[in-house]
Amino acid sequence: MFGLITRRRHVRELAAAKAETGRQRLRAEAAEERAGIAVRNRQQVLGQNAALDADNRRLAGRVEELGKRVSALTESDPEYLADLEQQLAAEKRRADRLQARLDDAVGMPAGGPIADSGPWQPDWNQPKPRGVAP
């Protein structure tokens, strides 16, 4: 009537407010913890990316240097060139065999385009040919 409430109601409302405050505090602490974990994870990933980039740049320079050396060797030694071509052909056959085994393992069709990617992409639809009205 005049904004007065009973002691019991006051105690009940105060307990509910304290419970809500505690729930919100726990929620905020959990969010802060997750944010801290996310920051640490990003820092770790950035450090790993920087290290990988440095390795990649170093290896790219090394590959270029070795490519120049191989070119110089192949120009000077025809037998070496023939040996390298044989090794290259053997590695290509090996890569083709491994690719075929991988395709077989994941259910890809042998030697042809994928007719239906539905088994691993449930929402995939066959593209419509261009110039055909829907």
Side-chain angles (χ1 to χ4, degrees), residues 77-98:
D77 188 359
E79 289 179 19
Y80 183 70
L81 175 60
D83 185 44
L84 284 179
E85 288 173 350
Q86 287 176 351
Q87 289 178 17
L88 179 62
E91 289 301 320
K92 180 160 179 17
R93 285 191 305 273
R94 179 177 176 268
D96 290 343
R97 278 195 318 272
L98 291 173

Side-chain angles (χ1 to χ4, degrees), residues 58-131:
R58 180 182 53 79
L59 290 174
R62 182 78 173 133
V63 165
E64 185 177 339
E65 175 191 329
L66 290 173
K68 289 177 184 176
R69 288 176 56 190
V70 166
S71 295
L73 284 172
T74 57
E75 291 172 3
S76 66
D77 188 359
E79 289 179 19
Y80 183 70
L81 175 60
D83 185 44
L84 284 179
E85 288 173 350
Q86 287 176 351
Q87 289 178 17
L88 179 62
E91 289 301 320
K92 180 160 179 17
R93 285 191 305 273
R94 179 177 176 268
D96 290 343
R97 278 195 318 272
L98 291 173
Q99 185 65 51
R101 287 179 60 192
L102 175 63
D103 291 347
D104 185 49
V106 296
M108 302 279 284
I114 299 169
D116 179 17
S117 67
W120 65 89
Q121 289 179 325
D123 297 333
W124 182 83
N125 293 317
Q126 181 74 25
K128 306 234 183 318
R130 290 187 182 190

Side-chain angles (χ1 to χ4, degrees), residues 18-46:
K18 285 182 180 181
E20 178 63 17
T21 301
R23 189 182 71 76
Q24 291 292 336
R25 180 180 299 115
L26 290 175
R27 196 169 162 224
E29 288 171 354
E32 288 175 351
E33 183 179 350
R34 284 191 305 270
I37 290 170
V39 166
R40 285 189 299 277
N41 287 348
R42 278 193 300 274
Q43 289 171 341
Q44 184 179 17
V45 167
L46 287 173

